Amino acid sequence: MGFNLPVDRLSQQQTPYYYYNMELLNATLDAVRTEANEYGFKVHYAIKANANDRVLGAIKNAGFGADCVSGNEVKKALETGFNSDSVVFAGVGKADWEINLGLENDIACFNVESIPELEIINELAEKKGKIAKVALRINPNVNANTHHYITTGLEENKFGINQWDLENVIEVLAQLKNVELEGIHFHIGSQITDLLSFKDLCLRVNELQKWFISHHIFPKVVNVGGGLGIDYEQPDENAIPDFKSFFRVFDEFLELKPGQELHFELGRSMVGQCGTLISRVLYIKNGVNTKFAIIDAGMSDLIRPALYQAYHKIENLSSTQATEKYDVVGPICESSDCFGKAVDLPKTDRGDIIAIRSTGAYGEIMANRYNLRELPSAYYSDEI
Ligand code: LLP
């Protein structure tokens, strides 16, 4: 179900563009919903992974909530039709207008990352005569064993409230009249493939729960964030992530208290495999020890390889000739504009269609207009 369109159909559109396999997206959403429902867990989709209208619409229709990290993401969620009581708002640097937007729309929860932020939310809520529901984002100091740019749950990271500060936080909370503690929130990182990291998180959450209870605080919600990784090496064999095992870890190791809800904020695992960046070969150029396949997609369309040295499987959909090695590069004036070095591809010529796989998450949404290039467009499996 990974990638299902004949190349002649794909080559009729102007490249580069994102191609979304809507059947795979819907099957993935079904799998998340089924496995989460098994335990009564609630999932808020992390909009930052992909806010394409059709993708987001499918996620809303499947009944998930929305996890936002900016005022514009909150707006987008509400415009798409997510109920305000299923919208949560995280982020280390919420501006006043963004907090006000959340307050005006009575969103479900602000995930708060510092004492000064808590005080500002209280002040702004007081001005509006509202009580803001907040969750404390706690830095659990658990190693996610992933790329350091996408590790968030270590004390050295800028995210969350460190554990030694919790005592102060609850003292401040007790003084504030316009915020109400709804829950505790964690997120340790992204593209996590070793489920043991999530077990470590559960054990840390259990310790912290004890601490809160000993201070007579009973959070209604425990939110453990997102982070489940996808298989970039084998997108067809593992098109749908193993949500069953993922949720089972939390069921097994996280000790929920009676009446407590467990929430998740999944991004990549819900949308990563349904997207493919489709591009066309412009030139084949001989280098010193290598051949370059210069394609019309660049790091402005997909920045992950340049920014995180991320691996994406690259396929030539037009050729069936014997395999050769190519450095697959974009047209942008940066040496980091490279999608893969010494990639095995069938003999490649100008005009061939190249698929860069597993780009549904942090692909289109991170596209930019560097070199004044156009933003990539998008097509959908049920349209072309
Ligand atoms: N919740 C919070 C608080 C987050 O910071 C993130 C992602 C998520 C949930 C969703 O995590 P996911 O399930 O997608 O792993 N641009 C990078 C990834 C950055 C992730 C940022 N935070 C990449 O392309 O790999």
Side-chain angles (χ1 to χ4, degrees):
M1 190 188 282
F3 192 67
N4 58 0
L5 258 198
V7 63
D8 55 325
R9 305 258 295 279
L10 290 167
S11 65
Q12 280 164 22
Q13 326 300 325
Q14 166 100 41
T15 50
Y17 63 88
Y18 279 90
Y19 167 79
Y20 291 106
N21 180 339
M22 298 307 281
E23 293 75 33
L24 177 58
L25 173 62
N26 286 320
T28 308
L29 299 179
D30 269 355
V32 183
R33 196 180 35 207
T34 307
E35 301 304 338
N37 283 352
E38 180 77 19
Y39 305 108
F41 298 161
K42 181 164 171 77
V43 177
H44 293 89
Y45 165 67
I47 292 190
K48 65 169 83 66
N50 187 322
N52 172 291
D53 283 342
R54 290 234 24 222
V55 171
L56 204 52
I59 292 170
K60 197 264 318 179
N61 290 341
F64 296 99
D67 164 44
C68 306
V69 285
S70 71
N72 282 350
E73 282 193 0
V74 172
K75 267 192 208 160
K76 182 83 186 176
L78 297 171
E79 281 162 16
T80 305
F82 287 91
N83 279 334
S84 57
D85 63 3
S86 67
V87 171
V88 297
F89 185 10
V92 280
K94 301 179 190 74
D96 294 17
W97 74 267
E98 297 178 304
I99 296 170
N100 279 327
L101 180 79
L103 290 169
E104 280 151 20
N105 288 287
D106 299 314
I107 60 166
C109 193
F110 292 86
N111 295 336
V112 172
E113 307 225 6
S114 66
I115 294 179
E117 182 193 338
L118 203 51
E119 290 170 337
I120 293 297
I121 294 178
N122 182 68
E123 191 183 308
L124 296 174
E126 189 181 357
K127 281 195 190 132
K128 292 190 182 301
K130 300 215 175 201
I131 310 275
K133 284 195 246 163
V134 298
L136 299 177
R137 176 166 180 183
I138 301 168
N139 188 332
N141 200 25
V142 168
N143 196 343
N145 298 311
T146 183
H147 192 278
H148 59 284
Y149 278 15
I150 49 177
T151 292
T152 47
L154 290 178
E155 279 168 2
E156 70 220 43
N157 301 128
K158 69 178 175 182
F159 300 99
I161 296 164
N162 282 321
Q163 287 163 49
W164 63 80
D165 228 6
L166 279 178
E167 203 87 48
N168 289 337
V169 173
I170 59 169
E171 263 172 42
V172 171
L173 254 181
Q175 312 296 317
L176 303 178
K177 299 280 168 282
N178 292 76
V179 289
E180 181 184 308
L181 184 68
E182 170 90 351
I184 46 178
H185 174 226
F186 307 85
H187 174 76
I188 56 174
S190 197
Q191 185 50 22
I192 298 167
T193 49
D194 182 355
L195 292 181
L196 280 177
S197 297
F198 293 113
K199 177 183 168 190
D200 290 347
L201 172 63
C202 291
L203 302 180
R204 191 59 54 85
V205 173
N206 293 343
E207 285 169 21
L208 282 158
Q209 290 248 76
K210 285 194 191 112
W211 184 89
F212 276 98
I213 290 167
S214 71
H215 288 75
H216 311 288
I217 295 174
F218 304 93
K220 197 178 104 199
V221 172
V222 176
N223 178 343
V224 285
L228 176 62
I230 63 171
D231 191 342
Y232 283 99
E233 315 272 334
Q234 299 190 296
D236 293 316
E237 292 79 349
N238 290 314
I240 300 185
D242 184 1
F243 295 109
K244 190 188 260 310
S245 303
F246 173 69
F247 288 122
R248 202 192 293 127
V249 169
F250 291 89
D251 179 61
E252 204 171 315
F253 296 106
L254 201 146
E255 292 162 15
L256 282 183
K257 306 297 165 201
Q260 227 174 18
E261 292 175 23
L262 187 57
H263 291 189
F264 293 81
E265 300 168 342
L266 295 175
R268 186 190 317 264
S269 53
M270 289 170 69
V271 294
Q273 297 290 27
C274 77
T276 302
L277 178 59
I278 302 291
S279 173
R280 211 179 296 259
V281 178
L282 294 172
Y283 304 104
I284 300 296
K285 171 170 153 174
N286 288 320
V288 181
N289 291 317
T290 183
K291 264 200 293 243
F292 293 105
I294 304 170
I295 64 175
D296 63 4
M299 63 193 278
S300 60
D301 304 297
L302 175 68
I303 203 172
R304 302 194 69 255
L307 194 55
Y308 317 111
Q309 300 83 46
Y311 170 82
H312 286 268
K313 188 171 185 192
I314 302 174
E315 295 169 343
N316 181 335
L317 304 182
S318 307
S319 170
T320 49
Q321 300 182 58
T323 299
E324 298 182 1
K325 287 207 187 298
Y326 297 88
D327 283 6
V328 179
V329 300
I332 290 176
C333 308
E334 298 264 351
S335 295
S336 57
D337 186 26
C338 175
F339 293 110
K341 284 197 188 301
V343 180
D344 284 320
L345 291 177
K347 184 173 178 311
T348 296
D349 293 306
R350 173 176 167 83
D352 286 357
I353 293 292
I354 299 290
I356 306 183
R357 304 291 308 277
S358 315
T359 49
Y362 308 108
E364 187 184 359
I365 194 75
M366 291 181 80
N368 59 74
R369 293 211 50 211
Y370 187 38
N371 287 189
L372 280 187
R373 288 166 55 81
E374 297 299 333
L375 290 173
S377 43
Y379 294 95
Y380 309 88
S381 56
D382 52 5
E383 277 179 12
I384 62 171

